Amino acid sequence: MNERLYELTLKKAANEATAEEQAELATLRGTPENEQLFQQIKADARLAGGVMPLVNSIEATDDEFPEYARELLQTKVRKVLGRPEATRANAPAGARVWRWALGLGGAVGLMVGLLLVNPENDTAPSSPVIQVALLDPVGQVRGPEDTTLQSLRQAWTDTSIRQFDSSNSLRSWEGKWIQTIRPQVKVIYDKARGEIRITARGKDGQIDETVKIDDDFEGALKKVKALIKTRFGK
Amino acid sequence: MQQPDLARLKQGDRAEWDDAFSWLYPTAMAVARNKLQPYYPGDVEDVALEAMEALIERVPKLKRAEELKPMLAAISHNKAVDHLKKMYGEKRGGGRTTSLEALTDAEDSHYEPAAEGTPLDFMEQSEIAEYIHKLLDQLKPRCRGILTDFFILGLKHREISEKQGIAVGSVGVYLGRCLESIRKLAQK
């Protein structure tokens, strides 16, 4: 291995090479053999630059799975893989009661089952899927002093906060709705305008409301939550 | 969080999948973010979730649980690349996808030739997944650390030397040897 050629090529790639080193590299590349090696090193560097993030991603743990996507993916699992029969014997008590209730037949049994399967599960058909985003083109919210993100996370603990720095990308996200029978609510904090927009889709059609912040962000968040609760009971 | 039980996943076990979603999601996000954050940060989550949906379809063919994350990383990578091509195609003339090389010619492109169009972009998903798996198994930890420092963290030779405890004059040597390993593992 031509160690000097490797060193100079990689230094040049990282903009670390001095003028003398660049001149040395140019000289070294003068032979066909070394020029071929130079191109090989560049190709290897591109490969490494591409694959190392994927290798490191295997150990990533930072991001929290967004609850709104759970049912969507479980539906996909059901369609592709079905559901196991074998879990009937091992099912937890709640699920056994659910199946017993179904055995009685009728809508009443099904309703009881839905309540018993997971009494703390907030994914009953009527509760809305809530997604939260913030639009901050200037990047103020993401500074160390700003507690806006923290407040948004505290207000909606089971959803991740999407962050946008341009209206175009926010608009693209805003226009996308997931396939679900549940109502869907999008809460958007527009920092530049000082307002929180609520866009919702449900069986009553589309709803659009705006809450002005007026120097009281926490108060505005409470109003937004109250509005959502009034409309959707959650 | 523990690695899920592949047999249960293949059976569609709801609880197992619930745990698997949380275990898998950070990998999909890390890959999607790496590709899309500089250009379309608002689309990172969507692409990550699309990748997870696509992984569900691949699960019946997997043999070991260890294959899950590498396969997901490969799918996420390809989805992110497709998304970039689509967004730039739309920007440039509506509905057409465009090659990554052509992106470098766009007047308002942020791309630099070295930053895009890696060999991975031309590999099949299963090839990428297998390659990631091989690297995880066979790439020495020292190599992984040095390659991460140089290519991901953008550390200078002197900084790598201090962090890894090697002579600054040896950083180039180590990098060269590690790049050779990366190449050889791709060729096997």
Side-chain angles (χ1 to χ4, degrees), chain B residues 67-118:
Chain B
E67 295 176 61
L68 282 163
K69 279 191 175 182
M71 180 56 76
L72 178 61
I75 294 171
S76 304
H77 172 268
N78 283 4
K79 291 262 176 211
V81 168
D82 287 346
H83 188 76
L84 283 171
K85 287 179 184 174
K86 182 185 153 212
M87 294 306 284
Y88 268 78
E90 280 174 10
K91 228 176 171 179
R92 295 182 73 205
R96 289 178 289 123
T97 57
T98 190
S99 67
L100 285 172
E101 290 77 17
L103 295 175
T104 64
D105 298 332
E107 282 173 13
D108 57 349
S109 171
H110 299 289
Y111 287 91
E112 295 172 10
E116 288 301 325
T118 75

Coordinates of all heavy atoms in Angstrom, one line a residue, chain B residues 67-118:
Chain B
E67 N -30.7 -10.0 11.1 CA -30.9 -9.4 9.8 C -31.8 -8.2 9.7 O -31.8 -7.5 8.8 CB -31.4 -10.5 8.8 CG -30.4 -11.6 8.6 CD -31.1 -12.7 7.6 OE1 -31.4 -12.3 6.5 OE2 -31.3 -13.8 8.1
L68 N -32.6 -8.1 10.8 CA -33.7 -7.1 10.8 C -33.1 -5.7 10.6 O -33.6 -4.9 9.6 CB -34.5 -7.1 12.1 CG -35.5 -8.2 12.2 CD1 -36.0 -8.5 13.6 CD2 -36.8 -7.9 11.3
K69 N -32.2 -5.3 11.4 CA -31.8 -3.9 11.4 C -31.0 -3.6 10.1 O -31.2 -2.6 9.5 CB -31.0 -3.5 12.6 CG -31.9 -3.1 13.8 CD -31.2 -2.5 14.9 CE -32.1 -2.1 16.0 NZ -31.4 -1.4 17.1
P70 N -30.0 -4.5 9.7 CA -29.3 -4.2 8.5 C -30.3 -4.1 7.3 O -30.1 -3.2 6.4 CB -28.4 -5.4 8.3 CG -28.1 -5.9 9.7 CD -29.4 -5.6 10.4
M71 N -31.3 -4.9 7.2 CA -32.3 -4.9 6.1 C -33.0 -3.5 6.2 O -33.2 -2.9 5.2 CB -33.3 -6.0 6.2 CG -34.3 -6.0 5.1 SD -33.6 -6.0 3.4 CE -33.1 -7.7 3.2
L72 N -33.4 -3.1 7.4 CA -34.1 -1.9 7.5 C -33.2 -0.7 7.1 O -33.7 0.2 6.5 CB -34.6 -1.7 9.0 CG -35.3 -0.4 9.3 CD1 -36.6 -0.2 8.4 CD2 -35.7 -0.3 10.8
A73 N -32.0 -0.8 7.5 CA -31.0 0.3 7.1 C -30.9 0.4 5.6 O -30.9 1.5 5.0 CB -29.7 0.1 7.8
A74 N -30.9 -0.7 5.0 CA -30.7 -0.8 3.5 C -32.0 -0.2 2.9 O -31.9 0.6 1.9 CB -30.5 -2.2 3.0
I75 N -33.2 -0.6 3.4 CA -34.4 -0.1 2.8 C -34.5 1.4 3.0 O -34.9 2.1 2.1 CB -35.6 -0.8 3.5 CG1 -35.6 -2.3 3.1 CG2 -36.9 -0.2 3.0 CD1 -36.7 -3.1 3.9
S76 N -34.2 1.8 4.2 CA -34.3 3.3 4.5 C -33.4 4.1 3.6 O -33.7 5.2 3.1 CB -33.9 3.5 6.0 OG -34.6 2.8 6.9
H77 N -32.2 3.6 3.4 CA -31.2 4.2 2.5 C -31.8 4.4 1.1 O -31.9 5.5 0.5 CB -29.9 3.4 2.4 CG -29.0 4.0 1.4 ND1 -28.9 3.5 0.1 CD2 -28.0 4.9 1.5 CE1 -28.0 4.2 -0.6 NE2 -27.5 5.0 0.2
N78 N -32.4 3.3 0.6 CA -32.9 3.4 -0.8 C -34.2 4.3 -0.9 O -34.4 5.0 -1.8 CB -33.2 1.9 -1.3 CG -32.0 1.2 -1.7 OD1 -30.9 1.7 -1.6 ND2 -32.1 0.0 -2.2
K79 N -35.0 4.2 0.2 CA -36.2 5.1 0.2 C -35.8 6.5 0.2 O -36.4 7.4 -0.5 CB -37.0 4.8 1.4 CG -37.7 3.4 1.4 CD -39.1 3.5 1.0 CE -39.8 2.1 0.9 NZ -40.8 2.1 -0.2
A80 N -34.7 6.8 1.0 CA -34.3 8.2 1.1 C -33.7 8.7 -0.2 O -34.0 9.8 -0.7 CB -33.2 8.4 2.2
V81 N -32.9 7.8 -0.9 CA -32.4 8.2 -2.2 C -33.5 8.4 -3.2 O -33.5 9.4 -4.0 CB -31.4 7.1 -2.7 CG1 -31.0 7.3 -4.1 CG2 -30.1 7.1 -1.8
D82 N -34.5 7.5 -3.2 CA -35.6 7.7 -4.1 C -36.3 9.0 -3.9 O -36.8 9.6 -4.8 CB -36.6 6.5 -4.0 CG -36.0 5.2 -4.6 OD1 -35.0 5.3 -5.3 OD2 -36.6 4.1 -4.2
H83 N -36.5 9.3 -2.6 CA -37.2 10.5 -2.2 C -36.4 11.8 -2.8 O -37.1 12.7 -3.3 CB -37.3 10.6 -0.7 CG -38.2 11.7 -0.3 ND1 -39.6 11.7 -0.4 CD2 -37.9 12.9 0.3 CE1 -40.1 12.8 0.1 NE2 -39.1 13.6 0.5
L84 N -35.1 11.7 -2.6 CA -34.3 12.9 -3.1 C -34.5 13.0 -4.6 O -34.7 14.1 -5.1 CB -32.9 12.7 -2.8 CG -32.4 12.9 -1.4 CD1 -31.0 12.4 -1.2 CD2 -32.5 14.4 -1.0
K85 N -34.4 11.9 -5.3 CA -34.6 12.0 -6.8 C -35.9 12.5 -7.2 O -36.1 13.3 -8.1 CB -34.4 10.6 -7.4 CG -33.0 10.0 -7.4 CD -33.0 8.6 -7.9 CE -31.7 7.9 -7.9 NZ -31.7 6.5 -8.3
K86 N -37.0 12.0 -6.4 CA -38.3 12.5 -6.8 C -38.5 14.0 -6.5 O -39.1 14.7 -7.3 CB -39.3 11.6 -5.9 CG -40.7 11.9 -6.1 CD -41.6 11.2 -5.2 CE -42.9 11.9 -5.0 NZ -43.5 11.8 -3.7
M87 N -38.0 14.4 -5.4 CA -38.2 15.8 -5.0 C -37.5 16.8 -6.0 O -38.0 17.8 -6.4 CB -37.7 16.1 -3.6 CG -38.5 15.4 -2.5 SD -40.3 15.7 -2.6 CE -40.3 17.3 -1.9
Y88 N -36.3 16.4 -6.4 CA -35.6 17.2 -7.4 C -36.2 17.1 -8.7 O -36.2 18.1 -9.5 CB -34.1 16.9 -7.4 CG -33.4 17.7 -6.4 CD1 -33.4 17.5 -5.0 CD2 -32.7 18.9 -6.8 CE1 -32.8 18.3 -4.1 CE2 -32.1 19.7 -5.9 CZ -32.1 19.4 -4.5 OH -31.5 20.2 -3.6
G89 N -36.7 15.9 -9.1 CA -37.4 15.8 -10.4 C -38.6 16.7 -10.4 O -38.9 17.3 -11.4
E90 N -39.4 16.7 -9.3 CA -40.5 17.6 -9.2 C -40.2 19.1 -9.3 O -40.8 19.9 -10.0 CB -41.3 17.3 -7.9 CG -42.2 16.1 -8.0 CD -42.8 15.7 -6.7 OE1 -42.7 16.6 -5.7 OE2 -43.4 14.7 -6.6
K91 N -39.1 19.4 -8.7 CA -38.6 20.8 -8.7 C -38.2 21.3 -10.1 O -38.4 22.4 -10.5 CB -37.4 20.9 -7.8 CG -37.4 22.0 -6.8 CD -36.2 21.9 -5.9 CE -36.0 23.1 -5.0 NZ -34.8 22.9 -4.2
R92 N -37.7 20.3 -10.8 CA -37.1 20.7 -12.1 C -38.0 20.6 -13.3 O -37.8 21.0 -14.3 CB -35.8 19.9 -12.4 CG -34.7 20.1 -11.4 CD -33.5 19.3 -11.8 NE -32.9 19.9 -12.9 CZ -32.1 19.2 -13.8 NH1 -31.9 17.9 -13.6 NH2 -31.5 19.8 -14.8
G93 N -39.2 19.9 -13.0 CA -40.0 19.9 -14.2 C -41.2 19.0 -14.1 O -41.8 18.6 -15.0
G94 N -41.6 18.6 -12.8 CA -42.9 18.0 -12.6 C -42.9 16.5 -13.0 O -43.0 16.2 -14.1
G95 N -42.9 15.6 -12.0 CA -43.2 14.2 -12.2 C -42.1 13.4 -12.7 O -42.2 12.2 -12.7
R96 N -41.0 14.0 -13.1 CA -39.9 13.1 -13.6 C -38.9 12.9 -12.5 O -38.6 13.8 -11.7 CB -39.2 13.8 -14.8 CG -40.0 13.8 -16.0 CD -39.3 14.5 -17.2 NE -39.2 16.0 -16.9 CZ -38.1 16.6 -16.9 NH1 -36.9 16.0 -17.0 NH2 -38.0 17.9 -16.7
T97 N -38.4 11.7 -12.4 CA -37.3 11.5 -11.5 C -36.0 11.8 -12.2 O -36.0 11.9 -13.4 CB -37.2 10.0 -11.0 OG1 -37.1 9.2 -12.1 CG2 -38.4 9.6 -10.2
T98 N -35.0 12.0 -11.5 CA -33.7 12.5 -12.1 C -32.6 11.7 -11.5 O -32.6 11.2 -10.4 CB -33.6 14.0 -12.0 OG1 -32.5 14.4 -12.8 CG2 -33.3 14.4 -10.5
S99 N -31.5 11.5 -12.3 CA -30.4 10.8 -11.8 C -29.6 11.7 -10.7 O -29.7 12.9 -10.8 CB -29.4 10.5 -12.9 OG -28.8 11.7 -13.4
L100 N -28.9 11.1 -9.8 CA -28.2 11.8 -8.8 C -27.1 12.7 -9.5 O -26.8 13.8 -9.0 CB -27.6 10.9 -7.8 CG -28.7 10.3 -6.8 CD1 -28.0 9.3 -5.9 CD2 -29.3 11.4 -5.9
E101 N -26.6 12.2 -10.5 CA -25.5 13.0 -11.2 C -26.1 14.2 -11.8 O -25.5 15.3 -11.7 CB -24.9 12.1 -12.3 CG -24.0 11.0 -11.9 CD -24.8 9.8 -11.4 OE1 -26.0 9.7 -11.7 OE2 -24.3 8.9 -10.8
A102 N -27.3 14.2 -12.3 CA -27.9 15.4 -12.9 C -28.2 16.4 -11.9 O -28.2 17.6 -12.1 CB -29.2 15.0 -13.6
L103 N -28.4 16.0 -10.6 CA -28.7 16.9 -9.6 C -27.5 17.9 -9.4 O -27.7 19.1 -9.0 CB -28.8 16.2 -8.2 CG -30.1 15.3 -8.2 CD1 -30.1 14.5 -6.8 CD2 -31.3 16.1 -8.3
T104 N -26.3 17.5 -9.7 CA -25.2 18.4 -9.5 C -25.2 19.5 -10.5 O -24.5 20.5 -10.4 CB -23.8 17.6 -9.6 OG1 -23.7 17.1 -11.0 CG2 -23.8 16.5 -8.7
D105 N -25.9 19.3 -11.6 CA -26.0 20.4 -12.6 C -27.1 21.4 -12.4 O -27.1 22.5 -13.0 CB -26.3 19.8 -14.0 CG -25.2 18.8 -14.4 OD1 -24.1 19.0 -14.0 OD2 -25.5 17.8 -15.2
A106 N -28.0 21.1 -11.5 CA -29.1 22.0 -11.2 C -28.6 23.3 -10.6 O -27.7 23.3 -9.8 CB -30.1 21.3 -10.3
E107 N -29.2 24.4 -11.1 CA -28.7 25.7 -10.7 C -28.8 25.9 -9.2 O -27.9 26.5 -8.6 CB -29.4 26.8 -11.4 CG -29.0 27.0 -12.8 CD -29.9 27.9 -13.6 OE1 -30.7 28.6 -12.9 OE2 -29.8 28.0 -14.8
D108 N -29.9 25.4 -8.7 CA -30.1 25.7 -7.3 C -29.8 24.5 -6.4 O -30.2 24.3 -5.3 CB -31.6 26.1 -7.0 CG -32.6 25.1 -7.5 OD1 -32.1 24.1 -8.2 OD2 -33.8 25.2 -7.2
S109 N -29.0 23.5 -7.0 CA -28.7 22.3 -6.2 C -27.7 22.6 -5.1 O -26.8 23.4 -5.3 CB -28.1 21.3 -7.2 OG -27.6 20.2 -6.4
H110 N -27.9 21.9 -4.0 CA -27.0 22.0 -2.9 C -26.0 20.8 -3.0 O -25.1 20.7 -2.2 CB -27.7 21.9 -1.6 CG -28.7 23.0 -1.4 ND1 -28.3 24.3 -1.1 CD2 -30.1 23.0 -1.3 CE1 -29.4 25.0 -1.0 NE2 -30.5 24.2 -1.1
Y111 N -26.2 19.9 -3.9 CA -25.3 18.8 -4.0 C -23.9 19.1 -4.4 O -23.7 19.9 -5.3 CB -25.9 17.7 -4.9 CG -27.2 17.0 -4.4 CD1 -28.4 17.6 -4.6 CD2 -27.1 15.9 -3.6 CE1 -29.5 17.0 -4.1 CE2 -28.2 15.3 -3.1 CZ -29.4 15.8 -3.4 OH -30.5 15.2 -2.9
E112 N -23.0 18.3 -3.9 CA -21.7 18.3 -4.4 C -21.4 16.9 -4.9 O -21.9 16.0 -4.3 CB -20.6 18.7 -3.3 CG -20.8 20.1 -2.8 CD -19.9 20.4 -1.6 OE1 -19.1 19.5 -1.3 OE2 -20.1 21.4 -1.0
P113 N -20.7 16.8 -6.0 CA -20.5 15.4 -6.5 C -20.0 14.4 -5.5 O -20.4 13.3 -5.5 CB -19.5 15.6 -7.7 CG -19.6 17.0 -8.0 CD -20.0 17.8 -6.8
A114 N -19.1 14.8 -4.6 CA -18.6 13.8 -3.7 C -19.6 13.4 -2.6 O -19.5 12.4 -2.0 CB -17.3 14.4 -3.0
A115 N -20.6 14.2 -2.4 CA -21.6 14.0 -1.3 C -22.7 13.0 -1.7 O -23.3 12.5 -0.9 CB -22.2 15.3 -0.8
E116 N -22.9 12.8 -3.0 CA -24.0 11.9 -3.4 C -23.5 10.9 -4.4 O -22.3 11.0 -4.9 CB -25.1 12.8 -4.0 CG -25.9 13.6 -3.0 CD -26.5 12.7 -1.9 OE1 -26.9 11.6 -2.2 OE2 -26.6 13.2 -0.8
G117 N -24.3 10.0 -4.8 CA -23.9 9.0 -5.8 C -22.9 8.0 -5.3 O -21.9 7.8 -6.0
T118 N -23.1 7.4 -4.1 CA -22.1 6.4 -3.6 C -22.4 5.1 -4.2 O -23.5 4.9 -4.8 CB -22.2 6.3 -2.1 OG1 -23.4 5.5 -1.8 CG2 -22.3 7.7 -1.4

